PDB file of all heavy atoms in Angstrom:
ATOM      1  N   GLU A   1       0.844  -1.197   0.000  1.00  0.00           N
ATOM      2  CA  GLU A   1       0.000   0.000   0.000  1.00  0.00           C
ATOM      3  C   GLU A   1       0.883   1.252   0.000  1.00  0.00           C
ATOM      4  O   GLU A   1       1.878   1.327   0.713  1.00  0.00           O
ATOM      5  CB  GLU A   1      -0.901  -0.011   1.232  1.00  0.00           C
ATOM      6  CG  GLU A   1      -1.922   1.108   1.258  1.00  0.00           C
ATOM      7  CD  GLU A   1      -2.844   1.027   2.463  1.00  0.00           C
ATOM      8  OE1 GLU A   1      -2.650   0.110   3.278  1.00  0.00           O
ATOM      9  OE2 GLU A   1      -3.732   1.895   2.586  1.00  0.00           O
ATOM     10  N   ASN A   2       0.504   2.230  -0.827  1.00  0.00           N
ATOM     11  CA  ASN A   2       1.223   3.507  -0.940  1.00  0.00           C
ATOM     12  C   ASN A   2       2.666   3.330  -1.426  1.00  0.00           C
ATOM     13  O   ASN A   2       3.544   4.140  -1.111  1.00  0.00           O
ATOM     14  CB  ASN A   2       1.230   4.257   0.390  1.00  0.00           C
ATOM     15  CG  ASN A   2      -0.153   4.706   0.807  1.00  0.00           C
ATOM     16  OD1 ASN A   2      -0.974   5.084  -0.035  1.00  0.00           O
ATOM     17  ND2 ASN A   2      -0.435   4.644   2.094  1.00  0.00           N
ATOM     18  N   GLU A   3       2.908   2.267  -2.199  1.00  0.00           N
ATOM     19  CA  GLU A   3       4.234   2.030  -2.748  1.00  0.00           C
ATOM     20  C   GLU A   3       4.169   1.881  -4.265  1.00  0.00           C
ATOM     21  O   GLU A   3       3.118   1.532  -4.820  1.00  0.00           O
ATOM     22  CB  GLU A   3       4.863   0.774  -2.139  1.00  0.00           C
ATOM     23  CG  GLU A   3       5.225   0.911  -0.667  1.00  0.00           C
ATOM     24  CD  GLU A   3       5.894  -0.329  -0.113  1.00  0.00           C
ATOM     25  OE1 GLU A   3       5.568  -1.446  -0.583  1.00  0.00           O
ATOM     26  OE2 GLU A   3       6.738  -0.187   0.793  1.00  0.00           O
ATOM     27  N   LEU A   4       5.297   2.132  -4.920  1.00  0.00           N
ATOM     28  CA  LEU A   4       5.421   1.965  -6.366  1.00  0.00           C
ATOM     29  C   LEU A   4       6.553   0.993  -6.655  1.00  0.00           C
ATOM     30  O   LEU A   4       7.609   1.045  -6.020  1.00  0.00           O
ATOM     31  CB  LEU A   4       5.744   3.297  -7.035  1.00  0.00           C
ATOM     32  CG  LEU A   4       4.777   4.466  -6.856  1.00  0.00           C
ATOM     33  CD1 LEU A   4       5.378   5.729  -7.465  1.00  0.00           C
ATOM     34  CD2 LEU A   4       3.430   4.150  -7.503  1.00  0.00           C
ATOM     35  N   LEU A   5       6.335   0.103  -7.621  1.00  0.00           N
ATOM     36  CA  LEU A   5       7.393  -0.786  -8.096  1.00  0.00           C
ATOM     37  C   LEU A   5       7.972  -0.163  -9.356  1.00  0.00           C
ATOM     38  O   LEU A   5       7.241   0.152 -10.291  1.00  0.00           O
ATOM     39  CB  LEU A   5       6.840  -2.179  -8.408  1.00  0.00           C
ATOM     40  CG  LEU A   5       7.837  -3.179  -9.009  1.00  0.00           C
ATOM     41  CD1 LEU A   5       8.930  -3.518  -8.005  1.00  0.00           C
ATOM     42  CD2 LEU A   5       7.116  -4.437  -9.485  1.00  0.00           C
ATOM     43  N   ILE A   6       9.296   0.037  -9.372  1.00  0.00           N
ATOM     44  CA  ILE A   6       9.914   0.634 -10.553  1.00  0.00           C
ATOM     45  C   ILE A   6      11.036  -0.238 -11.087  1.00  0.00           C
ATOM     46  O   ILE A   6      11.680  -0.976 -10.340  1.00  0.00           O
ATOM     47  CB  ILE A   6      10.463   2.052 -10.259  1.00  0.00           C
ATOM     48  CG1 ILE A   6      11.651   2.005  -9.284  1.00  0.00           C
ATOM     49  CG2 ILE A   6       9.383   2.972  -9.728  1.00  0.00           C
ATOM     50  CD1 ILE A   6      12.397   3.315  -9.195  1.00  0.00           C
ATOM     51  N   GLU A   7      11.234  -0.160 -12.399  1.00  0.00           N
ATOM     52  CA  GLU A   7      12.413  -0.735 -13.053  1.00  0.00           C
ATOM     53  C   GLU A   7      13.526   0.300 -12.903  1.00  0.00           C
ATOM     54  O   GLU A   7      13.381   1.434 -13.374  1.00  0.00           O
ATOM     55  CB  GLU A   7      12.127  -1.007 -14.525  1.00  0.00           C
ATOM     56  CG  GLU A   7      11.043  -2.039 -14.789  1.00  0.00           C
ATOM     57  CD  GLU A   7      11.583  -3.468 -14.807  1.00  0.00           C
ATOM     58  OE1 GLU A   7      12.831  -3.618 -14.777  1.00  0.00           O
ATOM     59  OE2 GLU A   7      10.761  -4.401 -14.858  1.00  0.00           O
ATOM     60  N   VAL A   8      14.602  -0.073 -12.261  1.00  0.00           N
ATOM     61  CA  VAL A   8      15.659   0.877 -11.940  1.00  0.00           C
ATOM     62  C   VAL A   8      16.579   1.094 -13.143  1.00  0.00           C
ATOM     63  O   VAL A   8      17.146   0.147 -13.681  1.00  0.00           O
ATOM     64  CB  VAL A   8      16.486   0.378 -10.733  1.00  0.00           C
ATOM     65  CG1 VAL A   8      17.619   1.362 -10.422  1.00  0.00           C
ATOM     66  CG2 VAL A   8      15.590   0.205  -9.508  1.00  0.00           C
ATOM     67  N   ASP A   9      16.721   2.357 -13.554  1.00  0.00           N
ATOM     68  CA  ASP A   9      17.653   2.714 -14.627  1.00  0.00           C
ATOM     69  C   ASP A   9      19.035   3.042 -14.069  1.00  0.00           C
ATOM     70  O   ASP A   9      20.052   2.678 -14.647  1.00  0.00           O
ATOM     71  CB  ASP A   9      17.117   3.902 -15.419  1.00  0.00           C
ATOM     72  CG  ASP A   9      15.878   3.552 -16.231  1.00  0.00           C
ATOM     73  OD1 ASP A   9      15.826   2.427 -16.765  1.00  0.00           O
ATOM     74  OD2 ASP A   9      14.961   4.391 -16.319  1.00  0.00           O
ATOM     75  N   ARG A  10      19.079   3.744 -12.954  1.00  0.00           N
ATOM     76  CA  ARG A  10      20.336   4.060 -12.284  1.00  0.00           C
ATOM     77  C   ARG A  10      20.079   4.093 -10.773  1.00  0.00           C
ATOM     78  O   ARG A  10      19.016   4.518 -10.322  1.00  0.00           O
ATOM     79  CB  ARG A  10      20.890   5.430 -12.707  1.00  0.00           C
ATOM     80  CG  ARG A  10      21.321   5.550 -14.152  1.00  0.00           C
ATOM     81  CD  ARG A  10      22.540   4.712 -14.468  1.00  0.00           C
ATOM     82  NE  ARG A  10      23.066   4.995 -15.798  1.00  0.00           N
ATOM     83  CZ  ARG A  10      22.565   4.558 -16.936  1.00  0.00           C
ATOM     84  NH1 ARG A  10      21.468   3.792 -16.910  1.00  0.00           N
ATOM     85  NH2 ARG A  10      23.135   4.845 -18.095  1.00  0.00           N
ATOM     86  N   ALA A  11      21.094   3.659 -10.023  1.00  0.00           N
ATOM     87  CA  ALA A  11      21.069   3.776  -8.567  1.00  0.00           C
ATOM     88  C   ALA A  11      22.261   4.621  -8.147  1.00  0.00           C
ATOM     89  O   ALA A  11      23.372   4.421  -8.648  1.00  0.00           O
ATOM     90  CB  ALA A  11      21.137   2.400  -7.903  1.00  0.00           C
ATOM     91  N   GLY A  12      22.053   5.556  -7.259  1.00  0.00           N
ATOM     92  CA  GLY A  12      23.138   6.419  -6.811  1.00  0.00           C
ATOM     93  C   GLY A  12      24.032   5.731  -5.796  1.00  0.00           C
ATOM     94  O   GLY A  12      23.608   4.841  -5.064  1.00  0.00           O
ATOM     95  N   VAL A  13      25.299   6.139  -5.773  1.00  0.00           N
ATOM     96  CA  VAL A  13      26.280   5.641  -4.805  1.00  0.00           C
ATOM     97  C   VAL A  13      26.720   6.819  -3.947  1.00  0.00           C
ATOM     98  O   VAL A  13      27.106   7.867  -4.474  1.00  0.00           O
ATOM     99  CB  VAL A  13      27.504   5.012  -5.506  1.00  0.00           C
ATOM    100  CG1 VAL A  13      28.505   4.491  -4.482  1.00  0.00           C
ATOM    101  CG2 VAL A  13      27.066   3.898  -6.450  1.00  0.00           C
ATOM    102  N   ASN A  14      26.659   6.646  -2.619  1.00  0.00           N
ATOM    103  CA  ASN A  14      26.990   7.716  -1.686  1.00  0.00           C
ATOM    104  C   ASN A  14      27.958   7.231  -0.612  1.00  0.00           C
ATOM    105  O   ASN A  14      28.075   6.028  -0.362  1.00  0.00           O
ATOM    106  CB  ASN A  14      25.722   8.236  -0.998  1.00  0.00           C
ATOM    107  CG  ASN A  14      24.761   8.881  -1.976  1.00  0.00           C
ATOM    108  OD1 ASN A  14      25.040   9.938  -2.518  1.00  0.00           O
ATOM    109  ND2 ASN A  14      23.621   8.238  -2.197  1.00  0.00           N
ATOM    110  N   TYR A  15      28.628   8.183   0.049  1.00  0.00           N
ATOM    111  CA  TYR A  15      29.477   7.828   1.186  1.00  0.00           C
ATOM    112  C   TYR A  15      28.676   7.073   2.236  1.00  0.00           C
ATOM    113  O   TYR A  15      29.186   6.158   2.888  1.00  0.00           O
ATOM    114  CB  TYR A  15      30.089   9.080   1.817  1.00  0.00           C
ATOM    115  CG  TYR A  15      31.441   9.437   1.256  1.00  0.00           C
ATOM    116  CD1 TYR A  15      31.600  10.539   0.423  1.00  0.00           C
ATOM    117  CD2 TYR A  15      32.569   8.672   1.540  1.00  0.00           C
ATOM    118  CE1 TYR A  15      32.839  10.875  -0.104  1.00  0.00           C
ATOM    119  CE2 TYR A  15      33.813   8.987   1.021  1.00  0.00           C
ATOM    120  CZ  TYR A  15      33.942  10.095   0.206  1.00  0.00           C
ATOM    121  OH  TYR A  15      35.173  10.420  -0.309  1.00  0.00           O
ATOM    122  N   ALA A  16      27.420   7.467   2.420  1.00  0.00           N
ATOM    123  CA  ALA A  16      26.585   6.787   3.410  1.00  0.00           C
ATOM    124  C   ALA A  16      26.465   5.299   3.109  1.00  0.00           C
ATOM    125  O   ALA A  16      26.378   4.473   4.031  1.00  0.00           O
ATOM    126  CB  ALA A  16      25.202   7.432   3.454  1.00  0.00           C
ATOM    127  N   ASP A  17      26.482   4.922   1.828  1.00  0.00           N
ATOM    128  CA  ASP A  17      26.411   3.504   1.466  1.00  0.00           C
ATOM    129  C   ASP A  17      27.629   2.749   1.986  1.00  0.00           C
ATOM    130  O   ASP A  17      27.523   1.613   2.450  1.00  0.00           O
ATOM    131  CB  ASP A  17      26.341   3.338  -0.060  1.00  0.00           C
ATOM    132  CG  ASP A  17      25.126   3.999  -0.683  1.00  0.00           C
ATOM    133  OD1 ASP A  17      24.220   4.410   0.063  1.00  0.00           O
ATOM    134  OD2 ASP A  17      25.095   4.121  -1.921  1.00  0.00           O
ATOM    135  N   THR A  18      28.804   3.378   1.903  1.00  0.00           N
ATOM    136  CA  THR A  18      30.020   2.700   2.372  1.00  0.00           C
ATOM    137  C   THR A  18      29.971   2.497   3.886  1.00  0.00           C
ATOM    138  O   THR A  18      30.425   1.474   4.393  1.00  0.00           O
ATOM    139  CB  THR A  18      31.289   3.486   1.992  1.00  0.00           C
ATOM    140  OG1 THR A  18      31.379   4.703   2.748  1.00  0.00           O
ATOM    141  CG2 THR A  18      31.301   3.812   0.505  1.00  0.00           C
ATOM    142  N   HIS A  19      29.403   3.459   4.587  1.00  0.00           N
ATOM    143  CA  HIS A  19      29.249   3.304   6.034  1.00  0.00           C
ATOM    144  C   HIS A  19      28.214   2.220   6.356  1.00  0.00           C
ATOM    145  O   HIS A  19      28.389   1.434   7.297  1.00  0.00           O
ATOM    146  CB  HIS A  19      28.810   4.627   6.667  1.00  0.00           C
ATOM    147  CG  HIS A  19      29.909   5.642   6.785  1.00  0.00           C
ATOM    148  ND1 HIS A  19      30.955   5.507   7.668  1.00  0.00           N
ATOM    149  CD2 HIS A  19      30.123   6.807   6.129  1.00  0.00           C
ATOM    150  CE1 HIS A  19      31.761   6.552   7.563  1.00  0.00           C
ATOM    151  NE2 HIS A  19      31.286   7.352   6.625  1.00  0.00           N
ATOM    152  N   GLN A  20      27.132   2.180   5.577  1.00  0.00           N
ATOM    153  CA  GLN A  20      26.096   1.176   5.806  1.00  0.00           C
ATOM    154  C   GLN A  20      26.645  -0.229   5.588  1.00  0.00           C
ATOM    155  O   GLN A  20      26.362  -1.152   6.369  1.00  0.00           O
ATOM    156  CB  GLN A  20      24.912   1.433   4.857  1.00  0.00           C
ATOM    157  CG  GLN A  20      23.680   0.588   5.150  1.00  0.00           C
ATOM    158  CD  GLN A  20      22.540   0.926   4.209  1.00  0.00           C
ATOM    159  OE1 GLN A  20      22.664   0.802   2.988  1.00  0.00           O
ATOM    160  NE2 GLN A  20      21.415   1.356   4.766  1.00  0.00           N
ATOM    161  N   VAL A  21      27.471  -0.397   4.562  1.00  0.00           N
ATOM    162  CA  VAL A  21      28.023  -1.714   4.240  1.00  0.00           C
ATOM    163  C   VAL A  21      28.968  -2.198   5.339  1.00  0.00           C
ATOM    164  O   VAL A  21      29.025  -3.391   5.642  1.00  0.00           O
ATOM    165  CB  VAL A  21      28.745  -1.666   2.867  1.00  0.00           C
ATOM    166  CG1 VAL A  21      29.586  -2.916   2.629  1.00  0.00           C
ATOM    167  CG2 VAL A  21      27.715  -1.506   1.743  1.00  0.00           C
ATOM    168  N   GLU A  22      29.709  -1.292   5.958  1.00  0.00           N
ATOM    169  CA  GLU A  22      30.634  -1.700   7.023  1.00  0.00           C
ATOM    170  C   GLU A  22      30.008  -1.578   8.413  1.00  0.00           C
ATOM    171  O   GLU A  22      30.662  -1.808   9.419  1.00  0.00           O
ATOM    172  CB  GLU A  22      31.932  -0.894   6.954  1.00  0.00           C
ATOM    173  CG  GLU A  22      31.787   0.563   7.296  1.00  0.00           C
ATOM    174  CD  GLU A  22      33.111   1.326   7.195  1.00  0.00           C
ATOM    175  OE1 GLU A  22      34.073   0.782   6.628  1.00  0.00           O
ATOM    176  OE2 GLU A  22      33.155   2.466   7.686  1.00  0.00           O
ATOM    177  N   ASP A  23      28.721  -1.200   8.466  1.00  0.00           N
ATOM    178  CA  ASP A  23      27.973  -1.057   9.725  1.00  0.00           C
ATOM    179  C   ASP A  23      28.597   0.004  10.633  1.00  0.00           C
ATOM    180  O   ASP A  23      28.734  -0.179  11.840  1.00  0.00           O
ATOM    181  CB  ASP A  23      27.891  -2.394  10.480  1.00  0.00           C
ATOM    182  CG  ASP A  23      26.795  -2.371  11.560  1.00  0.00           C
ATOM    183  OD1 ASP A  23      25.875  -1.549  11.457  1.00  0.00           O
ATOM    184  OD2 ASP A  23      26.884  -3.182  12.506  1.00  0.00           O
ATOM    185  N   SER A  24      28.945   1.152  10.042  1.00  0.00           N
ATOM    186  CA  SER A  24      29.458   2.271  10.821  1.00  0.00           C
ATOM    187  C   SER A  24      28.590   3.505  10.650  1.00  0.00           C
ATOM    188  O   SER A  24      29.015   4.627  10.915  1.00  0.00           O
ATOM    189  CB  SER A  24      30.902   2.593  10.392  1.00  0.00           C
ATOM    190  OG  SER A  24      30.953   3.001   9.035  1.00  0.00           O
ATOM    191  N   TYR A  25      27.337   3.286  10.202  1.00  0.00           N
ATOM    192  CA  TYR A  25      26.445   4.408   9.941  1.00  0.00           C
ATOM    193  C   TYR A  25      25.657   4.745  11.199  1.00  0.00           C
ATOM    194  O   TYR A  25      25.779   4.098  12.241  1.00  0.00           O
ATOM    195  CB  TYR A  25      25.507   4.068   8.769  1.00  0.00           C
ATOM    196  CG  TYR A  25      24.894   5.260   8.085  1.00  0.00           C
ATOM    197  CD1 TYR A  25      25.637   6.412   7.832  1.00  0.00           C
ATOM    198  CD2 TYR A  25      23.559   5.246   7.680  1.00  0.00           C
ATOM    199  CE1 TYR A  25      25.068   7.503   7.194  1.00  0.00           C
ATOM    200  CE2 TYR A  25      22.989   6.330   7.034  1.00  0.00           C
ATOM    201  CZ  TYR A  25      23.747   7.461   6.803  1.00  0.00           C
ATOM    202  OH  TYR A  25      23.167   8.538   6.173  1.00  0.00           O
ATOM    203  N   LEU A  26      24.801   5.781  11.091  1.00  0.00           N
ATOM    204  CA  LEU A  26      24.041   6.238  12.255  1.00  0.00           C
ATOM    205  C   LEU A  26      23.009   5.219  12.716  1.00  0.00           C
ATOM    206  O   LEU A  26      22.654   5.181  13.879  1.00  0.00           O
ATOM    207  CB  LEU A  26      23.343   7.571  11.921  1.00  0.00           C
ATOM    208  CG  LEU A  26      24.304   8.749  11.656  1.00  0.00           C
ATOM    209  CD1 LEU A  26      23.512   9.959  11.172  1.00  0.00           C
ATOM    210  CD2 LEU A  26      25.089   9.091  12.909  1.00  0.00           C
ATOM    211  N   SER A  27      22.519   4.399  11.800  1.00  0.00           N
ATOM    212  CA  SER A  27      21.593   3.332  12.171  1.00  0.00           C
ATOM    213  C   SER A  27      22.151   2.013  11.645  1.00  0.00           C
ATOM    214  O   SER A  27      22.761   1.972  10.570  1.00  0.00           O
ATOM    215  CB  SER A  27      20.195   3.584  11.594  1.00  0.00           C
ATOM    216  OG  SER A  27      20.245   3.683  10.181  1.00  0.00           O
ATOM    217  N   SER A  28      21.955   0.927  12.393  1.00  0.00           N
ATOM    218  CA  SER A  28      22.520  -0.365  12.023  1.00  0.00           C
ATOM    219  C   SER A  28      21.486  -1.191  11.261  1.00  0.00           C
ATOM    220  O   SER A  28      20.402  -1.478  11.791  1.00  0.00           O
ATOM    221  CB  SER A  28      22.972  -1.116  13.281  1.00  0.00           C
ATOM    222  OG  SER A  28      23.628  -2.315  12.934  1.00  0.00           O
ATOM    223  N   PRO A  29      21.780  -1.580  10.002  1.00  0.00           N
ATOM    224  CA  PRO A  29      20.809  -2.339   9.210  1.00  0.00           C
ATOM    225  C   PRO A  29      20.855  -3.835   9.520  1.00  0.00           C
ATOM    226  O   PRO A  29      21.813  -4.340  10.098  1.00  0.00           O
ATOM    227  CB  PRO A  29      21.258  -2.074   7.779  1.00  0.00           C
ATOM    228  CG  PRO A  29      22.739  -1.917   7.893  1.00  0.00           C
ATOM    229  CD  PRO A  29      23.000  -1.267   9.225  1.00  0.00           C
ATOM    230  N   ALA A  30      19.802  -4.522   9.121  1.00  0.00           N
ATOM    231  CA  ALA A  30      19.735  -5.976   9.279  1.00  0.00           C
ATOM    232  C   ALA A  30      20.272  -6.643   8.010  1.00  0.00           C
ATOM    233  O   ALA A  30      20.215  -6.088   6.913  1.00  0.00           O
ATOM    234  CB  ALA A  30      18.297  -6.405   9.534  1.00  0.00           C
ATOM    235  N   LEU A  31      20.797  -7.831   8.170  1.00  0.00           N
ATOM    236  CA  LEU A  31      21.302  -8.626   7.053  1.00  0.00           C
ATOM    237  C   LEU A  31      20.337  -9.752   6.722  1.00  0.00           C
ATOM    238  O   LEU A  31      19.624 -10.230   7.602  1.00  0.00           O
ATOM    239  CB  LEU A  31      22.680  -9.207   7.414  1.00  0.00           C
ATOM    240  CG  LEU A  31      23.810  -8.199   7.644  1.00  0.00           C
ATOM    241  CD1 LEU A  31      25.074  -8.918   8.078  1.00  0.00           C
ATOM    242  CD2 LEU A  31      24.078  -7.385   6.386  1.00  0.00           C
ATOM    243  N   PRO A  32      20.296 -10.241   5.476  1.00  0.00           N
ATOM    244  CA  PRO A  32      21.030  -9.726   4.313  1.00  0.00           C
ATOM    245  C   PRO A  32      20.472  -8.367   3.876  1.00  0.00           C
ATOM    246  O   PRO A  32      19.319  -8.031   4.169  1.00  0.00           O
ATOM    247  CB  PRO A  32      20.785 -10.791   3.249  1.00  0.00           C
ATOM    248  CG  PRO A  32      19.462 -11.379   3.611  1.00  0.00           C
ATOM    249  CD  PRO A  32      19.415 -11.377   5.116  1.00  0.00           C
ATOM    250  N   LEU A  33      21.280  -7.609   3.163  1.00  0.00           N
ATOM    251  CA  LEU A  33      20.922  -6.236   2.819  1.00  0.00           C
ATOM    252  C   LEU A  33      21.299  -5.934   1.373  1.00  0.00           C
ATOM    253  O   LEU A  33      22.380  -6.292   0.915  1.00  0.00           O
ATOM    254  CB  LEU A  33      21.658  -5.263   3.744  1.00  0.00           C
ATOM    255  CG  LEU A  33      21.533  -3.781   3.415  1.00  0.00           C
ATOM    256  CD1 LEU A  33      20.159  -3.251   3.819  1.00  0.00           C
ATOM    257  CD2 LEU A  33      22.630  -2.968   4.101  1.00  0.00           C
ATOM    258  N   ILE A  34      20.385  -5.269   0.669  1.00  0.00           N
ATOM    259  CA  ILE A  34      20.678  -4.688  -0.641  1.00  0.00           C
ATOM    260  C   ILE A  34      20.899  -3.204  -0.413  1.00  0.00           C
ATOM    261  O   ILE A  34      19.968  -2.484  -0.059  1.00  0.00           O
ATOM    262  CB  ILE A  34      19.517  -4.908  -1.639  1.00  0.00           C
ATOM    263  CG1 ILE A  34      19.268  -6.391  -1.874  1.00  0.00           C
ATOM    264  CG2 ILE A  34      19.820  -4.201  -2.965  1.00  0.00           C
ATOM    265  CD1 ILE A  34      18.021  -6.681  -2.694  1.00  0.00           C
ATOM    266  N   PRO A  35      22.136  -2.707  -0.544  1.00  0.00           N
ATOM    267  CA  PRO A  35      22.385  -1.278  -0.312  1.00  0.00           C
ATOM    268  C   PRO A  35      21.756  -0.416  -1.407  1.00  0.00           C
ATOM    269  O   PRO A  35      21.223  -0.918  -2.398  1.00  0.00           O
ATOM    270  CB  PRO A  35      23.914  -1.172  -0.342  1.00  0.00           C
ATOM    271  CG  PRO A  35      24.425  -2.579  -0.286  1.00  0.00           C
ATOM    272  CD  PRO A  35      23.359  -3.428  -0.900  1.00  0.00           C
TER     273      PRO A  35
END
């Protein structure tokens, strides 16, 4: 509900992604994870 499914043409890469992957970001994600 209230969501859209899209075919992704490009995904952005940010410094925050590198922190998320090494689990050094402000919030800790659950695994497995698609950044």
Side-chain angles (χ1 to χ4, degrees):
E1 186 177 2
N2 294 324
E3 291 182 328
L4 301 173
L5 176 66
I6 67 168
E7 296 273 351
V8 179
D9 291 323
R10 294 292 189 282
V13 180
N14 296 291
Y15 268 108
D17 299 349
T18 70
H19 284 290
Q20 189 178 60
V21 168
E22 68 181 13
D23 197 22
S24 63
Y25 201 41
L26 295 173
S27 59
S28 185
L31 296 176
L33 173 75
I34 299 172

